[in-house]
Amino acid sequence: MRTLAITQNVTVDGSVEMLTDWFDPQGQGGAGMSDVLEESHRQDRRADALLVGRRTFEDFRGYWPKQTDDTTGITAYLNQVQKYVVSASLTEPQWENSTVLRSDPVGEVAALKAREGGKDIVLTGSITLARTLIAAGLVDEYRFFVHPVVQGRGRRLFPDGYEIPRLRLLESKGFRSGITLQRYAPA
């Protein structure tokens, strides 16, 4: 069975919603961020599928394919990886290697996980979809790139009142920028 990993950039106070400029994806190409970018590429090599909701997909599609001078490699990865977008309203994805999952997201993602021979499936952004898959028990790993800022507001991955009784730490790693990677799995 394939691993479904939620990868999120998050503030110290737990916000995954970017309401200020605490996260700049193009900034990963800077000298002080090369180790973060290297880690991102390491994770990319372990994955062959990107799973997103419609809004995140449209944000990505509107930005990344237009980055003709991207030295980070993110554009190249996003163009070639198989993308799955969960949407009841999107009909034509208009981005290479994209498939729209129109029916039950829990069933569709469970079927993707069950496919033989695949690598990791990575979900990023897509807070509503992430919450649905967490509640369904389909998430195998959480990968948090924790940025050393407090935003003081914004949506969190886990809504108020939601509990996961115990997570098992898989890895904790610091980067030169002060960002840390925290990897967890359900216990």
Side-chain angles (χ1 to χ4, degrees):
M1 175 129 352
R2 297 167 74 183
T3 294
L4 173 59
I6 291 181
T7 299
Q8 296 286 6
N9 289 286
V10 59
T11 62
V12 169
D13 60 333
S15 179
V16 294
E17 186 176 19
M18 293 181 290
L19 300 174
T20 60
D21 62 356
W22 59 268
F23 173 69
D24 174 16
Q26 284 290 358
Q28 293 184 46
M33 294 287 286
S34 61
D35 53 349
V36 176
L37 185 61
E38 182 180 313
E39 175 61 29
S40 291
H41 288 318
R42 186 184 70 80
Q43 290 182 22
D44 290 347
R45 287 189 296 273
R46 292 178 38 201
D48 63 2
L50 175 69
L51 176 66
V52 290
R54 180 190 53 80
R55 284 184 296 226
T56 300
F57 178 79
E58 289 176 343
D59 287 347
F60 279 24
R61 181 185 67 192
Y63 180 80
W64 286 109
K66 297 174 183 168
Q67 303 310 303
T68 57
D69 60 348
D70 174 27
T71 59
T72 66
I74 297 171
T75 297
Y77 174 75
L78 289 175
N79 283 336
Q80 65 86 25
V81 73
Q82 180 61 52
K83 294 166 285 295
Y84 295 95
V85 55
V86 174
S87 175
S89 60
L90 186 67
T91 55
E92 290 297 323
Q94 300 172 342
W95 193 4
E96 61 193 314
N97 302 316
S98 297
T99 302
V100 179
L101 304 177
R102 290 184 178 84
S103 64
D104 169 44
V106 171
E108 294 266 18
V109 173
L112 281 175
K113 285 184 63 173
R115 286 188 188 168
E116 292 295 322
K119 297 179 180 181
D120 292 354
I121 303 165
V122 175
L123 184 152
T124 193
S126 313
I127 298 167
T128 301
L129 176 59
R131 288 177 174 177
T132 297
L133 299 177
I134 291 166
L138 290 177
V139 178
D140 302 298
E141 186 177 329
Y142 299 93
R143 300 172 184 165
F144 300 121
F145 284 91
V146 183
H147 293 249
V149 298
V150 174
Q151 184 170 253
R153 58 194 163 95
R155 293 193 306 165
R156 286 152 173 64
L157 180 61
F158 304 102
D160 287 345
Y162 187 83
E163 256 183 64
I164 298 178
R166 183 156 178 80
L167 294 171
R168 180 173 44 93
L169 180 66
L170 301 174
E171 179 181 17
S172 181
K173 182 177 188 176
F175 301 99
R176 290 186 300 271
S177 61
I179 294 170
T180 61
L181 169 64
Q182 307 298 319
R183 289 181 49 229
Y184 293 97

